Amino acid sequence: MREVKIKTNIIKLDQLLKFAGITQTGGESKNIINMGMVSVNGNIVKEKGKKIKKGDIIEIENTERLIVV
């Protein structure tokens, strides 16, 4: 599991994926979210604007796990 440090209290899911280097563009982030490839705290999320807070665990299709700190 890799830590991703954010300086704000919340960040949108699509922005976090780009910030963490999982995707290269916001459009790519939106695509993998829409395809159901991303889960937050164990639940698949298809909402690109999902608000992510510190302590949340993001998993990308069982290949990458991030914890927001």
Side-chain angles (χ1 to χ4, degrees):
M1 187 175 317
R2 181 166 56 104
E3 289 185 354
V4 178
K5 295 182 181 184
I6 61 173
K7 294 181 181 183
T8 59
N9 290 331
I10 59 167
I11 186 171
K12 291 182 182 177
L13 179 58
D14 60 338
Q15 294 172 336
L16 176 73
L17 295 176
K18 186 176 174 190
F19 176 73
I22 302 298
T23 59
Q24 298 296 313
T25 66
E28 187 180 347
S29 294
K30 292 170 189 171
N31 285 339
I32 68 168
I33 293 167
N34 286 335
M35 291 175 10
M37 297 172 63
V38 181
S39 65
V40 177
N41 299 324
N43 299 309
I44 292 176
V45 175
K46 290 192 174 183
E47 178 188 345
K48 65 182 167 85
K50 168 88 173 148
K51 293 179 182 169
I52 305 301
K53 61 187 180 315
K54 294 178 181 179
D56 284 344
I57 297 174
I58 315 305
E59 190 166 357
I60 296 83
E61 210 170 63
N62 299 319
T63 60
E64 178 114 33
R65 287 174 54 101
L66 310 171
I67 184 162
V68 180
V69 294

